[in-house]
Amino acid sequence: MTKTFKKLTVADRNAVIDSLGISDETAARELNITVEEVATARTEVAATAGFDATPYKAHFQKPTTADSGSATAIERPKKKRGPSGTRIVTAFDAVTTEPVSLAEHAKKYHVSENCLRQPKRFYSREGVVIRVRKKDGVQCIWREAVESDEASTPAATA
């Protein structure tokens, strides 16, 4: 805003100072000049009649901390990132024991194929393993039951 204020003519600056009731000290600080230079400019150059100073009003108002909690905090809208809610988990829960096309499954549940290719990252259930492999040239997804460690190890003989 300081650069914009500097680009104004001296007459326009005087109009802004007069219409907003800005002190000479504040104007000098914004223009990076001395108070004497501001006072001289105000006495020697007449302010532009009918100049609209409303775009500059917000720059010279003091910030309030009552509403936002901080005078410097600027609230920006949150960006939506990724699928909302439990869409990914629902898609993994719907995976069957029979291999199905990954692309069709992703489209049906409105989830990206990249998410479905990373079951270790996005899905964890006891006793279930999600597999994603190519079968007959098509990327497929299916689930397999995990055998417990006791059943998979051979019995120790005494």
Side-chain angles (χ1 to χ4, degrees):
M1 187 64 182
T2 303
K3 289 181 180 179
T4 305
F5 195 57
K6 282 183 177 182
K7 289 181 181 179
L8 294 174
T9 65
V10 176
D12 291 343
R13 289 183 200 164
N14 289 341
V16 171
I17 292 168
D18 290 341
S19 65
L20 298 179
I22 301 169
S23 66
D24 289 350
E25 293 81 19
T26 304
R29 184 172 13 100
E30 289 299 316
L31 294 169
N32 291 329
I33 58 177
T34 64
V35 177
E36 292 79 25
E37 290 174 314
V38 173
T40 304
R42 289 180 71 188
T43 57
E44 293 187 10
V45 179
T48 305
F51 185 79
D52 183 24
T54 54
Y56 304 97
K57 187 175 183 177
H59 179 71
F60 290 103
Q61 289 178 337
K62 291 183 180 179
T64 60
T65 58
D67 296 339
S68 64
S70 173
T72 58
I74 298 171
E75 190 170 332
R76 293 185 174 91
K78 301 285 183 193
K79 292 183 179 178
K80 182 181 177 192
R81 295 172 189 241
S84 63
T86 59
R87 203 183 297 171
I88 295 173
V89 175
T90 304
F92 278 117
D93 284 338
V95 173
T96 62
T97 56
E98 294 297 317
V100 295
S101 168
L102 180 69
E104 290 175 13
H105 191 75
K107 188 175 181 180
K108 181 178 179 182
Y109 290 95
H110 306 285
V111 179
S112 72
E113 292 180 34
N114 289 335
C115 286
L116 293 177
R117 284 191 196 107
Q118 303 175 53
K120 288 182 181 177
R121 179 177 175 191
F122 292 108
Y123 186 75
S124 61
R125 293 278 196 262
E126 287 289 323
V128 176
V129 174
I130 303 291
R131 302 285 185 201
V132 180
R133 303 274 190 283
K134 271 193 175 179
K135 290 201 173 211
D136 301 325
V138 177
Q139 193 92 27
C140 294
I141 187 168
W142 69 94
R143 84 173 42 229
E144 292 178 355
V146 176
E147 298 176 12
S148 64
D149 291 335
E150 296 171 4
S152 63
T153 56
T157 56

